[in-house]
Amino acid sequence: MRRPERLRPWPKSNADIEAVVNHIQDRVGIISVYVQHLDKPKPQKYDPDKLDDLDRAAQYAANEIRHAANGASQKISKSKSENVKALAEVLNSVSRACAEVEGDKQVGKCRDAVSALDAALQDHAAKAAGAGVSAKFPRVGPEFITEPARAAVAL
């Protein structure tokens, strides 16, 4: 049985950071797909007061976001690099905030956690660029939705 590769701090090896980027790219793409479903449309004049289908759609989207964040954090939390472990902690906070949400308040917490993830990814991208890493860190947004993420959602 082969041992998994260990990740090192930023300056040591660009290949390790690129492996992390490649691993989280599809997961962040899935998060980018589902984050738009956390927002409910503004109610129209004759809409009912409670829209259960939109609540369930938001709950499903939050669970998929949790699943994607959990999958990404499990892989990179085994790293020896403190920089990468900090990103795993942010992904874990997304997993905790988006687990079984019920109600607009919990959906808001999930949305805030995803925003914090986006800020952390931006910060890590800046640090990696400063260290000379050529791989581009993904962000949470429509332009970072990958083809495997689209295929996973289409199923």
Side-chain angles (χ1 to χ4, degrees):
M1 188 164 118
R2 283 182 28 195
R3 289 186 163 178
E5 295 180 15
R6 298 290 182 180
L7 301 175
R8 297 176 191 95
W10 295 117
K12 301 267 179 160
S13 173
N14 290 347
D16 293 339
I17 302 303
E18 289 175 5
V20 168
V21 170
N22 289 336
H23 177 72
I24 66 170
Q25 195 167 20
D26 293 335
R27 303 293 184 161
V28 172
I30 291 173
I31 292 171
S32 298
V33 168
Y34 282 109
V35 74
Q36 61 191 348
H37 296 289
L38 294 177
D39 297 324
K40 291 183 184 178
K42 291 187 177 184
Q44 299 295 321
K45 185 176 181 180
Y46 295 108
D47 283 348
D49 293 332
K50 186 160 171 91
L51 300 171
D52 289 334
D53 55 342
L54 293 179
D55 291 336
R56 288 185 185 198
Q59 183 180 16
Y60 179 78
N63 280 334
E64 289 297 320
I65 289 169
R66 177 202 54 81
H67 180 67
N70 195 23
S73 70
Q74 286 178 353
K75 175 76 174 179
I76 64 176
S77 66
K78 298 174 184 171
S79 170
K80 289 182 179 178
S81 169
E82 294 302 321
N83 294 321
V84 176
K85 282 187 179 182
L87 186 58
E89 289 300 319
V90 174
L91 287 164
N92 283 334
S93 69
V94 171
S95 296
R96 286 189 297 271
C98 295
E100 296 299 326
V101 299
E102 290 183 12
D104 294 337
K105 188 180 273 188
Q106 288 181 338
V107 169
K109 288 180 183 178
C110 179
R111 191 179 310 108
D112 292 342
V114 171
S115 298
L117 171 65
D118 187 41
L121 287 170
Q122 182 179 9
D123 183 47
H124 276 73
K127 287 179 184 177
V133 177
S134 62
K136 184 178 179 186
F137 268 81
R139 301 269 313 274
V140 177
E143 62 272 8
F144 293 101
I145 297 173
T146 61
E147 287 303 319
R150 284 192 180 114
V153 172
L155 295 178

